[in-house]
Amino acid sequence: MENTYEGYKNHLQKIAHLNSAIALLSWDQEIFMPEKGSSVRAQQFSTLSTLVHKMSTDTEFEGLVNHLLAKSSFGFKETRNLEETKDSIEQNKKLSSAFIQKSAITRSEAFQAWEKARRKEDYQVFVPSLKKIVDLEREKTEYLGYEKHPYDSLLNLYEKKLTVTNLDKIFKEVKKQIVPLIKQIRNRDQVDDSFLHQSFDKDKQFDFSIEILKLMGYDFKAGRQDISTHPFTINFNAQDVRVTTRINQNDLSEVIWSTIHEGGHGLYEQGLLTNHYGLPSGEYVSLGIHESQSRIWENNLGRGKYWWEFIYPKLQSVFPKQLSSVSLDDFYKAINKVEPSLIRTSSDELTYHVHVMIRYEIEKSLLEGQVEVEDLEEVWNEKYLDYLGVTPTKPSEGVLQDIHWSHGSLGYFPTYSLGSFYAAQFYAQAKKDIGNLETQLKNGEVNEFSRLMRKKIHQHGKLYSAEKLCKKFTGEALNIKHFVTYAKKKYGAIYNFNPI
Protein backbone atom coordinates (compact mmCIF):
# COMPACT_ATOMS: atom_id res chain seq x y z
CA MET A 1 0.00 0.00 0.00
CA GLU A 2 1.52 3.30 -1.11
CA ASN A 3 2.21 5.51 1.91
CA THR A 4 0.57 8.60 0.40
CA TYR A 5 -2.83 10.24 0.06
CA GLU A 6 -3.08 8.61 -3.40
CA GLY A 7 -2.45 5.24 -1.76
CA TYR A 8 -5.21 5.99 0.75
CA LYS A 9 -7.57 7.00 -2.07
CA ASN A 10 -6.75 3.89 -4.13
CA HIS A 11 -7.51 1.61 -1.18
CA LEU A 12 -10.88 3.28 -0.59
CA GLN A 13 -11.76 2.95 -4.25
CA LYS A 14 -11.03 -0.79 -4.13
CA ILE A 15 -13.44 -1.03 -1.19
CA ALA A 16 -15.97 0.98 -3.22
CA HIS A 17 -15.60 -1.50 -6.10
CA LEU A 18 -16.52 -4.36 -3.78
CA ASN A 19 -19.43 -2.42 -2.29
CA SER A 20 -20.65 -1.70 -5.81
CA ALA A 21 -20.52 -5.41 -6.60
CA ILE A 22 -22.58 -6.11 -3.47
CA ALA A 23 -25.05 -3.41 -4.52
CA LEU A 24 -25.33 -4.91 -8.01
CA LEU A 25 -26.06 -8.34 -6.52
CA SER A 26 -28.70 -6.71 -4.28
CA TRP A 27 -30.32 -4.97 -7.24
CA ASP A 28 -30.37 -8.23 -9.19
CA GLN A 29 -31.82 -10.10 -6.19
CA GLU A 30 -34.78 -7.73 -6.05
CA ILE A 31 -35.33 -7.38 -9.80
CA PHE A 32 -34.28 -10.47 -11.76
CA MET A 33 -32.84 -13.27 -9.64
CA PRO A 34 -34.67 -16.64 -9.90
CA GLU A 35 -35.97 -18.14 -6.66
CA LYS A 36 -33.43 -20.99 -6.61
CA GLY A 37 -30.54 -18.53 -6.70
CA SER A 38 -31.14 -17.36 -3.12
CA SER A 39 -28.91 -19.88 -1.32
CA VAL A 40 -25.73 -19.21 -3.30
CA ARG A 41 -26.54 -15.48 -3.41
CA ALA A 42 -26.46 -15.42 0.38
CA GLN A 43 -22.96 -16.92 0.31
CA GLN A 44 -21.87 -14.38 -2.31
CA PHE A 45 -23.05 -11.53 -0.08
CA SER A 46 -21.26 -13.06 2.86
CA THR A 47 -17.95 -13.46 1.01
CA LEU A 48 -17.93 -9.93 -0.41
CA SER A 49 -19.12 -8.31 2.83
CA THR A 50 -16.36 -10.07 4.75
CA LEU A 51 -13.76 -8.85 2.24
CA VAL A 52 -15.06 -5.27 2.58
CA HIS A 53 -14.87 -5.49 6.36
CA LYS A 54 -11.35 -6.92 6.24
CA MET A 55 -10.14 -4.16 3.91
CA SER A 56 -11.93 -1.48 5.94
CA THR A 57 -10.24 -2.53 9.17
CA ASP A 58 -6.83 -3.45 7.73
CA THR A 59 -4.14 -2.43 10.23
CA GLU A 60 -1.82 -1.15 7.51
CA PHE A 61 -4.63 1.00 6.12
CA GLU A 62 -5.46 2.31 9.60
CA GLY A 63 -1.80 3.17 10.09
CA LEU A 64 -1.75 5.05 6.80
CA VAL A 65 -4.81 7.10 7.77
CA ASN A 66 -3.29 7.99 11.15
CA HIS A 67 0.03 8.85 9.48
CA LEU A 68 -1.65 11.18 6.98
CA LEU A 69 -3.78 12.82 9.67
CA ALA A 70 -0.62 13.61 11.62
CA LYS A 71 0.57 15.73 8.71
CA SER A 72 -0.50 19.35 8.51
CA SER A 73 -0.06 19.88 4.78
CA PHE A 74 -3.54 18.83 3.66
CA GLY A 75 -6.43 21.11 2.75
CA PHE A 76 -9.95 21.04 4.16
CA LYS A 77 -11.33 18.33 1.86
CA GLU A 78 -8.43 15.92 2.33
CA THR A 79 -8.49 16.40 6.09
CA ARG A 80 -12.23 15.84 6.32
CA ASN A 81 -11.96 12.68 4.20
CA LEU A 82 -9.29 11.30 6.49
CA GLU A 83 -11.27 12.21 9.63
CA GLU A 84 -14.41 10.50 8.28
CA THR A 85 -12.41 7.43 7.31
CA LYS A 86 -10.81 7.23 10.76
CA ASP A 87 -14.29 7.34 12.35
CA SER A 88 -15.45 4.63 9.97
CA ILE A 89 -12.47 2.39 10.79
CA GLU A 90 -13.11 2.74 14.51
CA GLN A 91 -16.77 1.86 13.98
CA ASN A 92 -16.03 -1.12 11.74
CA LYS A 93 -13.47 -2.54 14.19
CA LYS A 94 -16.23 -2.96 16.74
CA LEU A 95 -17.77 -5.69 14.58
CA SER A 96 -15.92 -8.93 13.89
CA SER A 97 -15.59 -10.54 10.46
CA ALA A 98 -17.58 -13.50 11.76
CA PHE A 99 -20.43 -11.20 12.74
CA ILE A 100 -20.36 -9.46 9.32
CA GLN A 101 -20.40 -12.83 7.57
CA LYS A 102 -23.30 -14.12 9.63
CA SER A 103 -25.26 -10.89 9.17
CA ALA A 104 -24.88 -10.93 5.37
CA ILE A 105 -26.18 -14.49 5.11
CA THR A 106 -29.04 -13.80 7.50
CA ARG A 107 -30.15 -10.67 5.62
CA SER A 108 -30.15 -12.40 2.26
CA GLU A 109 -32.16 -15.32 3.60
CA ALA A 110 -34.52 -12.96 5.43
CA PHE A 111 -35.27 -11.06 2.23
CA GLN A 112 -36.31 -14.30 0.53
CA ALA A 113 -38.46 -15.24 3.53
CA TRP A 114 -40.09 -11.79 3.53
CA GLU A 115 -41.02 -12.10 -0.15
CA LYS A 116 -42.40 -15.60 0.41
CA ALA A 117 -44.40 -14.47 3.45
CA ARG A 118 -45.90 -11.61 1.40
CA ARG A 119 -46.90 -13.98 -1.39
CA LYS A 120 -48.53 -16.35 1.09
CA GLU A 121 -49.95 -13.48 3.22
CA ASP A 122 -48.61 -15.28 6.27
CA TYR A 123 -46.46 -13.39 8.78
CA GLN A 124 -45.43 -16.64 10.49
CA VAL A 125 -43.36 -17.56 7.41
CA PHE A 126 -41.17 -14.54 8.14
CA VAL A 127 -40.97 -14.95 11.92
CA PRO A 128 -37.93 -17.32 12.13
CA SER A 129 -35.84 -15.09 9.84
CA LEU A 130 -36.93 -11.89 11.54
CA LYS A 131 -36.04 -13.36 14.95
CA LYS A 132 -32.50 -13.93 13.68
CA ILE A 133 -32.36 -10.37 12.34
CA VAL A 134 -33.54 -8.83 15.61
CA ASP A 135 -31.16 -10.99 17.65
CA LEU A 136 -28.28 -9.83 15.43
CA GLU A 137 -29.31 -6.19 15.79
CA ARG A 138 -29.51 -6.53 19.56
CA GLU A 139 -26.05 -8.11 19.50
CA LYS A 140 -24.78 -5.31 17.27
CA THR A 141 -25.89 -2.63 19.75
CA GLU A 142 -23.67 -4.20 22.39
CA TYR A 143 -20.68 -4.30 20.05
CA LEU A 144 -21.17 -0.71 18.92
CA GLY A 145 -21.90 0.59 22.40
CA TYR A 146 -24.24 3.28 23.64
CA GLU A 147 -24.66 5.63 26.57
CA LYS A 148 -28.40 5.70 27.25
CA HIS A 149 -30.40 3.48 24.92
CA PRO A 150 -29.37 0.53 22.70
CA TYR A 151 -31.34 2.05 19.82
CA ASP A 152 -28.94 5.03 19.81
CA SER A 153 -26.14 2.88 18.38
CA LEU A 154 -28.29 1.86 15.40
CA LEU A 155 -29.65 5.36 14.79
CA ASN A 156 -26.07 6.60 14.63
CA LEU A 157 -25.40 4.32 11.64
CA TYR A 158 -27.92 6.22 9.54
CA GLU A 159 -27.85 9.70 11.08
CA LYS A 160 -24.76 10.53 13.10
CA LYS A 161 -25.39 11.58 16.69
CA LEU A 162 -29.14 11.00 16.40
CA THR A 163 -30.48 9.62 19.68
CA VAL A 164 -33.71 8.43 21.25
CA THR A 165 -33.65 11.60 23.35
CA ASN A 166 -33.61 13.74 20.16
CA LEU A 167 -36.26 11.67 18.43
CA ASP A 168 -38.59 11.63 21.41
CA LYS A 169 -38.54 15.45 21.30
CA ILE A 170 -39.23 15.49 17.56
CA PHE A 171 -42.12 13.04 17.77
CA LYS A 172 -43.47 14.93 20.76
CA GLU A 173 -43.78 17.91 18.40
CA VAL A 174 -45.45 15.66 15.82
CA LYS A 175 -48.05 14.71 18.43
CA LYS A 176 -48.40 18.34 19.52
CA GLN A 177 -48.50 20.02 16.09
CA ILE A 178 -49.30 17.49 13.37
CA VAL A 179 -51.75 15.10 15.05
CA PRO A 180 -54.14 17.96 16.02
CA LEU A 181 -53.97 19.22 12.43
CA ILE A 182 -54.97 15.75 11.19
CA LYS A 183 -57.88 15.74 13.66
CA GLN A 184 -59.05 19.15 12.45
CA ILE A 185 -59.03 17.91 8.86
CA ARG A 186 -61.15 14.91 9.84
CA ASN A 187 -63.93 17.33 10.75
CA ARG A 188 -63.87 19.01 7.33
CA ASP A 189 -65.62 17.90 4.15
CA GLN A 190 -63.35 15.33 2.54
CA VAL A 191 -61.92 15.90 -0.92
CA ASP A 192 -62.80 13.47 -3.70
CA ASP A 193 -59.98 11.30 -5.02
CA SER A 194 -62.11 8.53 -6.54
CA PHE A 195 -60.89 9.33 -10.05
CA LEU A 196 -57.38 8.20 -9.01
CA HIS A 197 -58.77 4.71 -8.35
CA GLN A 198 -60.00 3.80 -11.79
CA SER A 199 -58.34 1.30 -14.12
CA PHE A 200 -55.10 2.71 -15.55
CA ASP A 201 -53.12 0.72 -18.12
CA LYS A 202 -49.89 -0.48 -16.47
CA ASP A 203 -47.69 0.05 -19.52
CA LYS A 204 -48.93 3.60 -19.93
CA GLN A 205 -48.30 4.22 -16.23
CA PHE A 206 -44.72 3.02 -16.59
CA ASP A 207 -44.13 5.13 -19.69
CA PHE A 208 -45.46 8.20 -17.90
CA SER A 209 -43.21 7.49 -14.93
CA ILE A 210 -40.24 7.58 -17.30
CA GLU A 211 -41.48 10.96 -18.55
CA ILE A 212 -41.67 12.24 -14.96
CA LEU A 213 -38.07 11.21 -14.32
CA LYS A 214 -36.98 13.01 -17.48
CA LEU A 215 -38.86 16.15 -16.40
CA MET A 216 -37.02 15.96 -13.05
CA GLY A 217 -33.67 15.87 -14.85
CA TYR A 218 -32.81 12.26 -13.98
CA ASP A 219 -30.02 11.19 -16.31
CA PHE A 220 -30.96 7.95 -18.09
CA LYS A 221 -27.45 7.68 -19.50
CA ALA A 222 -26.38 7.23 -15.89
CA GLY A 223 -29.32 5.16 -14.66
CA ARG A 224 -32.46 3.17 -15.37
CA GLN A 225 -35.85 2.39 -13.83
CA ASP A 226 -37.38 -1.03 -13.15
CA ILE A 227 -40.31 -2.51 -11.24
CA SER A 228 -39.92 -3.93 -7.72
CA THR A 229 -42.09 -5.06 -4.82
CA HIS A 230 -40.84 -2.17 -2.70
CA PRO A 231 -39.52 0.91 -4.60
CA PHE A 232 -35.86 1.67 -3.95
CA THR A 233 -32.79 3.51 -5.25
CA ILE A 234 -29.37 1.91 -5.52
CA ASN A 235 -26.11 3.34 -6.77
CA PHE A 236 -22.84 1.84 -7.93
CA ASN A 237 -21.31 5.25 -8.60
CA ALA A 238 -22.62 8.65 -9.69
CA GLN A 239 -22.65 7.43 -13.30
CA ASP A 240 -24.78 4.36 -12.54
CA VAL A 241 -27.73 5.11 -10.25
CA ARG A 242 -30.80 2.91 -10.60
CA VAL A 243 -34.35 3.40 -9.34
CA THR A 244 -37.44 1.24 -9.18
CA THR A 245 -41.12 2.02 -8.95
CA ARG A 246 -44.33 0.18 -8.14
CA ILE A 247 -47.48 0.08 -10.28
CA ASN A 248 -51.04 -0.55 -9.13
CA GLN A 249 -53.49 -0.78 -12.01
CA ASN A 250 -56.29 0.65 -9.86
CA ASP A 251 -54.35 3.38 -8.05
CA LEU A 252 -52.52 5.97 -10.12
CA SER A 253 -50.96 7.54 -7.03
CA GLU A 254 -48.55 4.68 -6.38
CA VAL A 255 -46.54 4.98 -9.57
CA ILE A 256 -46.46 8.79 -9.52
CA TRP A 257 -45.13 9.27 -6.01
CA SER A 258 -42.92 6.23 -5.79
CA THR A 259 -41.31 7.43 -9.03
CA ILE A 260 -40.86 11.01 -7.87
CA HIS A 261 -39.64 9.88 -4.45
CA GLU A 262 -37.02 7.50 -5.82
CA GLY A 263 -36.17 10.02 -8.54
CA GLY A 264 -35.24 12.50 -5.82
CA HIS A 265 -32.92 9.93 -4.27
CA GLY A 266 -31.48 9.21 -7.69
CA LEU A 267 -30.76 12.88 -8.40
CA TYR A 268 -28.82 13.13 -5.13
CA GLU A 269 -26.66 10.14 -6.03
CA GLN A 270 -26.12 11.43 -9.59
CA GLY A 271 -25.16 14.79 -8.11
CA LEU A 272 -22.28 13.42 -6.05
CA LEU A 273 -18.82 14.23 -7.39
CA THR A 274 -17.66 11.47 -9.75
CA ASN A 275 -13.98 12.24 -9.19
CA HIS A 276 -14.49 11.65 -5.45
CA TYR A 277 -15.75 8.09 -5.97
CA GLY A 278 -14.88 5.94 -2.95
CA LEU A 279 -14.02 8.92 -0.75
CA PRO A 280 -16.31 10.24 2.00
CA SER A 281 -16.57 13.48 -0.02
CA GLY A 282 -18.19 11.39 -2.77
CA GLU A 283 -20.81 9.79 -0.49
CA TYR A 284 -24.14 11.04 0.85
CA VAL A 285 -23.88 12.58 4.30
CA SER A 286 -26.81 10.94 6.08
CA LEU A 287 -30.11 9.22 5.41
CA GLY A 288 -32.02 12.19 6.83
CA ILE A 289 -30.45 14.43 4.19
CA HIS A 290 -30.93 11.73 1.55
CA GLU A 291 -34.62 11.56 2.43
CA SER A 292 -34.83 15.35 2.26
CA GLN A 293 -33.89 15.13 -1.40
CA SER A 294 -36.60 12.59 -2.15
CA ARG A 295 -39.27 14.26 -0.01
CA ILE A 296 -38.64 17.75 -1.36
CA TRP A 297 -39.38 16.40 -4.84
CA GLU A 298 -42.20 14.13 -3.74
CA ASN A 299 -44.06 16.62 -1.55
CA ASN A 300 -42.92 20.20 -1.92
CA LEU A 301 -42.73 20.00 -5.71
CA GLY A 302 -44.58 16.78 -6.52
CA ARG A 303 -47.64 17.50 -4.39
CA GLY A 304 -47.47 21.22 -5.05
CA LYS A 305 -49.86 22.90 -7.49
CA TYR A 306 -47.25 24.94 -9.39
CA TRP A 307 -45.36 22.06 -11.02
CA TRP A 308 -48.60 20.25 -11.86
CA GLU A 309 -49.76 23.22 -13.90
CA PHE A 310 -47.12 22.07 -16.35
CA ILE A 311 -47.36 18.29 -15.87
CA TYR A 312 -51.09 17.73 -15.52
CA PRO A 313 -52.03 18.33 -19.20
CA LYS A 314 -49.44 15.68 -20.11
CA LEU A 315 -51.02 13.21 -17.69
CA GLN A 316 -54.49 14.00 -19.04
CA SER A 317 -53.30 13.27 -22.57
CA VAL A 318 -52.08 9.82 -21.45
CA PHE A 319 -55.37 9.00 -19.66
CA PRO A 320 -58.00 11.19 -21.34
CA LYS A 321 -60.90 8.83 -20.53
CA GLN A 322 -60.13 8.90 -16.81
CA LEU A 323 -58.93 12.49 -16.31
CA SER A 324 -60.13 14.80 -19.10
CA SER A 325 -63.10 15.99 -17.04
CA VAL A 326 -61.05 16.42 -13.83
CA SER A 327 -59.83 19.96 -13.25
CA LEU A 328 -56.32 20.78 -12.07
CA ASP A 329 -57.77 22.19 -8.84
CA ASP A 330 -59.64 18.96 -8.12
CA PHE A 331 -56.57 16.90 -9.03
CA TYR A 332 -54.39 19.00 -6.71
CA LYS A 333 -56.81 18.52 -3.82
CA ALA A 334 -57.05 14.78 -4.49
CA ILE A 335 -53.30 14.20 -4.47
CA ASN A 336 -53.17 15.98 -1.10
CA LYS A 337 -56.07 14.14 0.50
CA VAL A 338 -55.42 13.58 4.20
CA GLU A 339 -56.91 10.36 5.44
CA PRO A 340 -55.67 7.60 7.75
CA SER A 341 -54.48 4.64 5.71
CA LEU A 342 -52.56 1.40 6.05
CA ILE A 343 -49.63 1.80 3.65
CA ARG A 344 -46.80 4.15 4.62
CA THR A 345 -45.39 4.66 1.13
CA SER A 346 -48.73 5.80 -0.30
CA SER A 347 -49.90 7.79 2.72
CA ASP A 348 -50.41 11.56 2.72
CA GLU A 349 -47.63 13.80 3.99
CA LEU A 350 -49.28 14.39 7.39
CA THR A 351 -50.32 10.91 8.50
CA TYR A 352 -47.02 9.68 7.04
CA HIS A 353 -45.28 10.75 10.23
CA VAL A 354 -47.67 8.67 12.32
CA HIS A 355 -46.66 5.64 10.23
CA VAL A 356 -43.01 6.41 10.96
CA MET A 357 -43.71 6.99 14.65
CA ILE A 358 -45.37 3.57 14.93
CA ARG A 359 -42.31 1.87 13.47
CA TYR A 360 -40.01 3.91 15.71
CA GLU A 361 -41.91 2.84 18.82
CA ILE A 362 -41.92 -0.82 17.72
CA GLU A 363 -38.19 -0.85 17.01
CA LYS A 364 -37.40 0.71 20.37
CA SER A 365 -39.55 -1.91 22.08
CA LEU A 366 -37.87 -4.73 20.16
CA LEU A 367 -34.42 -3.61 21.28
CA GLU A 368 -35.60 -3.11 24.85
CA GLY A 369 -37.05 -6.63 24.85
CA GLN A 370 -40.50 -5.26 25.63
CA VAL A 371 -41.88 -6.77 22.42
CA GLU A 372 -40.89 -10.06 20.79
CA VAL A 373 -41.00 -10.92 17.11
CA GLU A 374 -43.75 -13.50 17.58
CA ASP A 375 -46.07 -10.76 18.91
CA LEU A 376 -45.19 -8.14 16.32
CA GLU A 377 -48.21 -8.54 14.05
CA GLU A 378 -50.59 -8.10 16.98
CA VAL A 379 -48.67 -5.09 18.31
CA TRP A 380 -48.59 -3.54 14.83
CA ASN A 381 -52.33 -3.92 14.33
CA GLU A 382 -53.10 -2.52 17.78
CA LYS A 383 -50.98 0.57 17.17
CA TYR A 384 -52.59 1.22 13.79
CA LEU A 385 -56.02 0.97 15.32
CA ASP A 386 -55.01 3.21 18.23
CA TYR A 387 -53.14 5.90 16.25
CA LEU A 388 -54.93 5.90 12.88
CA GLY A 389 -58.19 4.03 13.46
CA VAL A 390 -57.46 1.47 10.73
CA THR A 391 -56.70 -2.26 10.84
CA PRO A 392 -54.88 -4.35 8.21
CA THR A 393 -56.92 -7.09 6.55
CA LYS A 394 -53.77 -8.95 5.49
CA PRO A 395 -50.07 -8.93 6.49
CA SER A 396 -48.91 -7.17 3.29
CA GLU A 397 -51.03 -4.21 4.40
CA GLY A 398 -49.49 -4.39 7.84
CA VAL A 399 -46.38 -5.85 9.38
CA LEU A 400 -45.06 -7.22 6.06
CA GLN A 401 -45.44 -4.05 4.01
CA ASP A 402 -41.86 -2.74 4.44
CA ILE A 403 -38.68 -4.37 3.19
CA HIS A 404 -36.44 -2.73 5.81
CA TRP A 405 -36.51 -5.33 8.58
CA SER A 406 -35.59 -8.10 6.13
CA HIS A 407 -32.46 -6.03 5.42
CA GLY A 408 -31.72 -5.62 9.12
CA SER A 409 -32.28 -1.87 8.83
CA LEU A 410 -33.50 -1.14 12.35
CA GLY A 411 -32.94 2.56 13.00
CA TYR A 412 -33.67 3.58 9.41
CA PHE A 413 -37.35 4.57 9.64
CA PRO A 414 -36.99 7.76 11.73
CA THR A 415 -34.86 9.30 8.97
CA TYR A 416 -37.99 9.44 6.79
CA SER A 417 -39.58 11.99 9.09
CA LEU A 418 -36.30 13.87 9.46
CA GLY A 419 -36.15 14.01 5.68
CA SER A 420 -39.58 15.63 5.41
CA PHE A 421 -38.67 18.22 8.01
CA TYR A 422 -35.37 18.99 6.30
CA ALA A 423 -37.21 19.18 2.98
CA ALA A 424 -39.68 21.81 4.19
CA GLN A 425 -36.80 23.88 5.56
CA PHE A 426 -34.78 23.54 2.34
CA TYR A 427 -37.79 24.40 0.17
CA ALA A 428 -38.50 27.52 2.21
CA GLN A 429 -34.87 28.58 1.69
CA ALA A 430 -35.01 27.67 -2.02
CA LYS A 431 -37.93 30.07 -2.48
CA LYS A 432 -35.80 32.81 -0.95
CA ASP A 433 -32.75 31.96 -3.05
CA ILE A 434 -34.78 31.61 -6.27
CA GLY A 435 -37.21 34.50 -6.13
CA ASN A 436 -39.41 33.25 -8.99
CA LEU A 437 -39.15 29.54 -8.21
CA GLU A 438 -42.88 28.90 -8.34
CA THR A 439 -43.21 30.71 -11.68
CA GLN A 440 -40.41 28.51 -13.01
CA LEU A 441 -42.22 25.40 -11.78
CA LYS A 442 -45.39 26.47 -13.60
CA ASN A 443 -43.34 26.43 -16.79
CA GLY A 444 -41.79 23.05 -15.99
CA GLU A 445 -38.41 24.64 -15.33
CA VAL A 446 -36.58 22.77 -12.57
CA ASN A 447 -32.97 23.27 -13.65
CA GLU A 448 -32.26 26.20 -11.33
CA PHE A 449 -33.81 24.34 -8.40
CA SER A 450 -31.73 21.24 -9.20
CA ARG A 451 -28.56 23.31 -9.47
CA LEU A 452 -29.29 24.82 -6.06
CA MET A 453 -29.66 21.36 -4.49
CA ARG A 454 -26.40 20.25 -6.10
CA LYS A 455 -24.58 23.37 -4.96
CA LYS A 456 -25.89 23.36 -1.39
CA ILE A 457 -26.26 19.61 -0.73
CA HIS A 458 -25.00 17.09 -3.28
CA GLN A 459 -21.51 18.34 -4.09
CA HIS A 460 -20.40 18.40 -0.45
CA GLY A 461 -20.72 14.67 0.16
CA LYS A 462 -19.68 14.05 3.78
CA LEU A 463 -17.47 17.11 4.08
CA TYR A 464 -19.98 18.58 6.52
CA SER A 465 -22.24 16.89 9.04
CA ALA A 466 -25.98 16.95 8.34
CA GLU A 467 -26.41 19.66 10.97
CA LYS A 468 -23.66 21.85 9.51
CA LEU A 469 -24.93 21.34 5.98
CA CYS A 470 -28.39 22.46 7.07
CA LYS A 471 -26.96 25.51 8.82
CA LYS A 472 -24.82 26.46 5.81
CA PHE A 473 -27.86 26.29 3.54
CA THR A 474 -30.61 27.74 5.73
CA GLY A 475 -28.80 29.58 8.53
CA GLU A 476 -30.12 27.28 11.29
CA ALA A 477 -30.16 23.66 12.40
CA LEU A 478 -33.12 21.41 11.62
CA ASN A 479 -36.29 23.11 12.85
CA ILE A 480 -39.66 21.36 12.57
CA LYS A 481 -41.43 24.74 12.62
CA HIS A 482 -40.82 25.06 8.87
CA PHE A 483 -42.78 21.88 8.20
CA VAL A 484 -45.56 22.92 10.58
CA THR A 485 -45.87 26.35 8.93
CA TYR A 486 -45.88 24.79 5.45
CA ALA A 487 -48.43 22.12 6.42
CA LYS A 488 -50.86 24.48 8.13
CA LYS A 489 -50.82 26.95 5.23
CA LYS A 490 -51.23 24.26 2.58
CA TYR A 491 -53.91 22.14 4.23
CA GLY A 492 -55.79 25.06 5.70
CA ALA A 493 -56.30 26.25 2.12
CA ILE A 494 -57.18 22.83 0.72
CA TYR A 495 -59.71 22.06 3.46
CA ASN A 496 -60.85 25.66 3.91
CA PHE A 497 -60.20 26.26 7.60
CA ASN A 498 -57.85 28.16 9.90
CA PRO A 499 -55.51 25.69 11.62
CA ILE A 500 -55.06 26.09 15.36
Side-chain angles (χ1 to χ4, degrees):
M1 189 182 302
E2 189 179 338
N3 198 31
T4 62
Y5 189 83
E6 265 315 296
Y8 153 77
K9 184 177 178 180
N10 289 338
H11 189 80
L12 280 184
Q13 288 182 340
K14 289 177 183 177
I15 294 173
H17 296 334
L18 287 173
N19 278 324
S20 293
I22 293 170
L24 185 57
L25 289 174
S26 298
W27 175 81
D28 174 74
Q29 177 176 259
E30 298 192 34
I31 303 298
F32 291 129
M33 189 185 77
E35 184 178 350
K36 289 184 177 180
S38 60
S39 178
V40 175
R41 183 56 50 89
Q43 295 297 325
Q44 291 165 344
F45 280 132
S46 175
T47 298
L48 290 174
S49 297
T50 304
L51 283 173
V52 167
H53 183 261
K54 183 177 180 180
M55 291 182 69
S56 300
T57 56
D58 180 81
T59 54
E60 184 181 353
F61 178 57
E62 182 179 14
L64 173 58
V65 171
N66 289 331
H67 167 70
L68 294 174
L69 272 172
K71 290 187 174 183
S72 58
S73 58
F74 294 114
F76 171 71
K77 287 184 179 180
E78 292 81 4
T79 302
R80 284 293 299 125
N81 278 330
L82 290 164
E83 289 172 346
E84 282 292 321
T85 302
K86 182 177 175 60
D87 287 347
S88 178
I89 291 171
E90 291 175 353
Q91 185 93 304
N92 289 329
K93 285 171 62 178
K94 294 177 181 179
L95 303 176
S96 68
S97 293
F99 181 83
I100 296 298
Q101 185 177 37
K102 181 169 61 173
S103 296
I105 293 174
T106 303
R107 287 195 301 269
S108 183
E109 292 174 345
F111 170 74
Q112 299 300 322
W114 173 76
E115 285 214 315
K116 184 178 180 180
R118 278 178 62 92
R119 288 195 301 270
K120 290 179 172 290
E121 291 292 357
D122 184 356
Y123 171 64
Q124 294 305 313
V125 172
F126 186 44
V127 166
S129 293
L130 185 54
K131 278 177 62 68
K132 292 179 182 178
I133 288 285
V134 172
D135 286 343
L136 281 171
E137 292 301 294
R138 287 171 175 168
E139 188 179 351
K140 185 192 290 184
T141 66
E142 298 304 318
Y143 291 142
L144 295 176
Y146 54 89
E147 290 185 11
K148 293 183 179 180
H149 197 287
Y151 197 45
D152 291 347
S153 62
L154 301 184
L155 293 171
N156 186 63
L157 297 175
Y158 303 106
E159 193 78 15
K160 275 193 174 182
K161 298 183 180 179
L162 182 63
T163 65
V164 166
T165 300
N166 301 142
L167 279 174
D168 283 346
K169 290 177 182 177
I170 289 172
F171 284 115
K172 182 178 179 181
E173 285 300 303
V174 169
K175 291 178 180 178
K176 179 181 176 182
Q177 302 281 2
I178 305 304
V179 172
L181 182 59
I182 295 170
K183 289 180 178 178
Q184 281 185 281
I185 291 172
R186 283 182 184 173
N187 296 323
R188 309 300 301 173
D189 291 337
Q190 186 55 279
V191 301
D192 178 21
D193 70 340
S194 58
F195 53 83
L196 294 174
H197 300 276
Q198 303 176 67
S199 178
F200 295 89
D201 181 82
K202 286 188 174 183
D203 289 338
K204 289 182 178 179
Q205 286 193 57
F206 185 79
D207 290 344
F208 185 71
S209 73
I210 295 293
E211 182 66 18
I212 287 177
L213 288 172
K214 289 178 179 177
L215 291 172
M216 292 174 67
Y218 177 83
D219 184 359
F220 275 96
K221 290 184 178 180
R224 57 178 287 136
Q225 179 180 252
D226 293 277
I227 304 293
S228 67
T229 305
H230 189 105
F232 69 93
T233 300
I234 197 162
N235 77 299
F236 314 121
N237 58 77
Q239 300 300 309
D240 189 351
V241 180
R242 307 183 190 188
V243 298
T244 70
T245 191
R246 180 167 58 202
I247 295 176
N248 183 332
Q249 185 171 332
N250 299 308
D251 186 354
L252 186 60
S253 298
E254 287 206 22
V255 71
I256 292 175
W257 281 280
S258 62
T259 297
I260 297 175
H261 180 95
E262 300 307 331
H265 280 306
L267 288 173
Y268 186 6
E269 293 289 350
Q270 289 183 343
L272 295 171
L273 298 179
T274 303
N275 59 342
H276 286 236
Y277 168 71
L279 294 166
S281 53
E283 300 172 348
Y284 68 87
V285 61
S286 76
L287 279 181
I289 296 296
H290 220 314
E291 286 302 321
S292 79
Q293 298 306 283
S294 62
R295 300 295 280 178
I296 200 169
W297 277 99
E298 179 186 0
N299 292 331
N300 303 95
L301 275 72
R303 280 191 169 92
K305 192 172 184 179
Y306 300 103
W307 199 31
W308 277 104
E309 286 193 28
F310 178 77
I311 302 176
Y312 189 50
K314 298 178 183 296
L315 181 61
Q316 286 179 306
S317 69
V318 176
F319 299 110
K321 180 181 177 181
Q322 296 94 331
L323 299 175
S324 60
S325 63
V326 179
S327 69
L328 172 62
D329 194 53
D330 286 341
F331 179 79
Y332 168 68
K333 290 178 180 178
I335 64 177
N336 286 290
K337 180 179 181 179
V338 175
E339 184 177 57
S341 61
L342 292 166
I343 308 299
R344 174 186 61 83
T345 55
S346 56
S347 64
D348 61 83
E349 61 181 321
L350 297 185
T351 60
Y352 182 86
H353 300 291
V354 180
H355 288 269
V356 174
M357 187 165 61
I358 287 171
R359 288 155 176 78
Y360 167 59
E361 291 180 354
I362 287 174
E363 289 186 348
K364 275 200 305 181
S365 297
L366 279 171
L367 291 174
E368 292 168 349
Q370 299 299 314
V371 172
E372 294 301 330
V373 171
E374 293 87 345
D375 305 319
L376 209 53
E377 186 171 24
E378 181 181 354
V379 171
W380 180 288
N381 293 348
E382 287 175 353
K383 283 186 178 290
Y384 264 81
L385 182 61
D386 182 32
Y387 281 116
L388 291 171
V390 294
T391 303
T393 59
K394 52 187 178 181
S396 63
E397 292 178 341
V399 71
L400 290 178
Q401 69 177 267
D402 296 303
I403 197 172
H404 302 62
W405 289 340
S406 73
H407 286 172
S409 300
L410 275 73
Y412 190 124
F413 282 115
T415 65
Y416 286 122
S417 282
L418 292 184
S420 292
F421 303 148
Y422 274 126
Q425 193 164 330
F426 293 164
Y427 187 72
Q429 187 62 41
K431 288 198 293 183
K432 294 177 183 177
D433 292 352
I434 307 172
N436 66 338
L437 173 58
E438 291 170 346
T439 300
Q440 290 184 22
L441 294 177
K442 288 180 182 181
N443 296 320
E445 299 168 5
V446 299
N447 288 343
E448 191 171 355
F449 173 78
S450 293
R451 284 195 297 270
L452 183 66
M453 292 300 109
R454 292 202 166 177
K455 178 182 178 182
K456 299 294 186 178
I457 306 292
H458 307 173
Q459 71 167 349
H460 297 298
K462 287 184 175 178
L463 293 179
Y464 303 99
S465 66
E467 183 178 15
K468 284 186 178 179
L469 201 62
C470 185
K471 285 182 178 179
K472 282 177 67 67
F473 185 9
T474 69
E476 61 176 323
L478 176 63
N479 191 336
I480 194 175
K481 76 172 185 179
H482 295 283
F483 180 82
V484 173
T485 299
Y486 153 80
K488 286 184 175 180
K489 180 181 178 181
K490 178 177 182 177
Y491 290 97
I494 290 173
Y495 283 93
N496 193 30
F497 74 102
N498 293 317
I500 298 173

